[in-house]
Amino acid sequence: MALSDLNPVERNEEGIAAVLGILKQRLGERFQTGQAIRSQHAHTTTYIPTQAPDGVAFPETTAEVQEIVRACAAHRVPVIAFGVGSSLEGHTNAPGGGISVDTSRMNRILSVNPQDLDCTVEPGVTREDLNRHLRDTGLFFPIDPGANASLGGMAATRASGTNAVRYGTMRENVLSLTAVMADGETVTTGKRAKKSSAGYDLTRLLVGSEGTLGIITALTLKLQGIPQAISGGVCPFPSVEAACNAVIATIQMGIPVARIELVNALQMRAMKTYSKLDYPESPCLFVEFHGSDAGVAEQAETFGMIAQDNGGGPFLWTSVAEERTKLWKARHDAYWASLTLRPGAKGLSTDVCVPISRFAECVMETEADIAEMGLIAPIVGHAGDGNFHVLVLMDVNDPKEIALSEKFVARLNMRAIAMEGTCTGEHGIGQGKIGFLRSELGHSVDIMRTIKQALDPQNIMNPGKILPDAG
């Protein structure tokens, strides 16, 4: 998809001017229109150009979010929800201007129910904030996308991360939510029961809707018990194929691995330098197991045998918390490590996901594409889910490099779709992947558009995102 394919959204200058006046009067210093803060609220961690909103609101309650949305609805002005801005596909851009609704001040933990293993939080609470609060309860929230993202943003983009192979994604971990819809009314999509067959599943409609249907103002989340024991380590392999085959065998044998992350040789080179790791500069799997002392030891030993059968090893594992923390800090810093491979370049971060049986094939074909095109593009992956990420390093001021990178991403997306996978396992569609949604889902896109038009007939909720040609 080329930048020229981004959905255009017409500006409503008169309406925007009216809403700026209304919100300044209502929110005072909690409504800002300075250029710097507006640009910060449209920044993206990809190469898509910044499209700044006209103002940034900082509500503190659901009622204030309702007021903002009602003012925007009355004047047909776009509303773009903002968490911490860590999304990757241009989700927070404002192609038609409008109001960015920054939920960072809605950061209260409303309740924790240890007996029921759940909690209710406001959208501005970050995952690290929540886990610090939960520490003394013996519980934790397991979804870990790497960045210290806000929980509202994680729900809106259906985030997942390194623990998803064991604990699932945000889709499986949000019990219910409250959202302000395009008409300014609130909906609460469920109760705290662990399951329900009452009506349409509006929770999962809004989880992953990327702010195009409503703004989340509260979430009830599942929690997990902190494991009695955790073991983890790194295992080198002679090739990406061997590492991927070890992943496939591990998953198909039903070993309850908590994390199993693929790092290719180029990414390992960057991580060794950046994070001062002492591991071979070859494809590696970063692995972690959760359970009892005996259980994690048995799982680690079984994985070591699988790795050996696939030409890998030795698998060096530990249950020492400090050593494991260093290991996963290096994994989470992979993005920053990658930038050292080409100083001055910026990264286009993209992801796909395929059935686990096609994982090795998809990764190897992608590496062949990278070599053929002469790109510098390390690979990491949440391998247990069949999900992997590629960071294409490029000069964003060179149109030829942008075109080549877009060609690579297009081939990657279509390869995954052809393998009965998806063009995005966890980054979402936003602006960056609009051009591939119909190839993946066909007529389902028209049904999505019907839902969008029914719930947001004026198209004010994060317009220009997800749906092709939605205006």
Side-chain angles (χ1 to χ4, degrees), residues 94-420:
I99 306 302
S100 175
V101 180
D102 184 319
T103 60
S104 60
R105 297 193 184 194
M106 298 179 69
N107 59 0
R108 294 181 300 160
I109 296 171
L110 301 174
S111 65
V112 176
N113 305 290
Q115 299 90 340
D116 296 320
L117 281 79
D118 69 46
C119 67
T120 300
V121 301
E122 291 184 326
V125 176
T126 69
R127 65 176 186 86
E128 290 182 5
D129 290 338
L130 177 58
N131 280 325
R132 275 191 292 270
H133 183 86
L134 293 171
R135 191 172 295 153
D136 293 337
T137 69
L139 303 173
F140 80 116
F141 182 69
I143 309 305
D144 177 6
N148 186 24
S150 69
L151 292 161
M154 288 170 62
T157 55
R158 202 185 297 128
S160 53
T162 58
N163 279 328
V165 64
R166 181 179 178 112
Y167 298 106
T169 72
M170 288 299 285
R171 180 182 66 186
E172 290 79 37
N173 286 278
V174 178
L175 288 171
S176 68
L177 55 82
T178 298
V180 175
M181 307 304 283
D183 60 358
E185 295 298 315
T186 62
V187 297
T188 298
T189 62
K191 302 295 185 182
R192 289 197 300 116
K194 287 297 187 287
K195 63 180 181 179
S196 171
S197 57
Y200 297 138
D201 193 344
L202 297 182
T203 303
R204 285 169 179 78
L205 175 63
L206 288 168
V207 171
S209 63
E210 301 181 14
T212 63
L213 301 179
I215 297 178
I216 296 169
T217 59
L219 309 96
T220 298
L221 305 169
K222 291 182 183 178
L223 302 176
Q224 301 287 336
I226 295 173
Q228 173 191 337
I230 300 174
S231 69
V234 175
C235 187
F237 287 84
S239 67
V240 164
E241 181 180 15
C244 291
N245 286 336
V247 172
I248 293 169
T250 301
I251 298 303
Q252 290 178 343
M253 284 184 64
I255 297 173
V257 62
R259 308 191 207 193
I260 185 163
E261 299 284 296
L262 171 69
V263 175
N264 78 343
L266 181 61
Q267 182 67 73
M268 200 65 197
R269 182 199 308 170
M271 290 169 65
K272 282 188 65 178
T273 301
Y274 186 85
S275 298
K276 307 298 188 291
L277 297 181
D278 186 22
Y279 294 107
E281 195 173 294
S282 66
C284 289
L285 293 178
F286 288 40
V287 189
E288 187 170 277
F289 304 98
H290 294 178
S292 66
D293 290 324
V296 298
E298 180 182 359
Q299 292 158 23
E301 290 169 6
T302 303
F303 172 77
M305 289 188 286
I306 292 172
Q308 188 175 24
D309 289 343
N310 285 276
F315 175 44
L316 304 175
W317 62 276
T318 179
S319 58
V320 177
E322 293 79 7
E323 295 177 13
R324 288 188 294 98
T325 298
K326 180 182 178 181
L327 172 66
W328 291 107
K329 177 70 164 59
R331 169 61 186 88
H332 285 322
D333 285 345
Y335 174 85
W336 305 109
S338 297
L339 297 181
T340 67
L341 294 169
R342 188 180 177 188
K346 291 191 176 180
L348 188 169
S349 182
T350 191
D351 85 309
V352 295
C353 188
V354 295
I356 191 69
S357 62
R358 306 296 298 273
F359 184 65
E361 179 185 3
C362 193
V363 173
M364 289 192 314
E365 289 187 14
T366 301
E367 282 203 322
D369 255 7
I370 291 168
E372 179 185 331
M373 294 183 178
L375 298 170
I376 300 175
I379 293 175
V380 298
H382 310 314
D385 298 319
N387 180 202
F388 67 95
H389 305 253
V390 186
L391 187 72
V392 183
L393 299 173
M394 65 179 180
D395 179 354
V396 295
N397 297 312
D398 185 340
K400 290 183 180 179
E401 285 202 23
I402 291 176
L404 183 64
S405 299
E406 288 180 339
K407 179 181 178 182
F408 166 77
V409 171
R411 288 176 61 165
L412 173 60
N413 290 337
M414 296 308 294
R415 177 181 302 117
I417 292 169
M419 291 182 177
E420 298 184 272

Side-chain angles (χ1 to χ4, degrees), residues 59-100:
E60 296 178 348
T61 64
T62 295
E64 288 186 342
V65 176
Q66 289 183 279
E67 288 187 64
I68 294 164
V69 172
R70 283 170 178 157
C72 289
H75 296 277
R76 298 180 65 96
V77 170
V79 185
I80 304 97
F82 186 94
V84 297
S86 58
S87 57
L88 293 164
E89 295 291 352
H91 296 92
T92 61
N93 264 344
I99 306 302
S100 175

Side-chain angles (χ1 to χ4, degrees), residues 437-439 441-450 466-468:
L437 191 62
R438 187 171 290 280
S439 295
L441 296 177
H443 179 56
S444 295
V445 174
D446 301 313
I447 296 174
M448 292 180 193
R449 181 176 290 111
T450 298
I466 298 184
L467 298 174

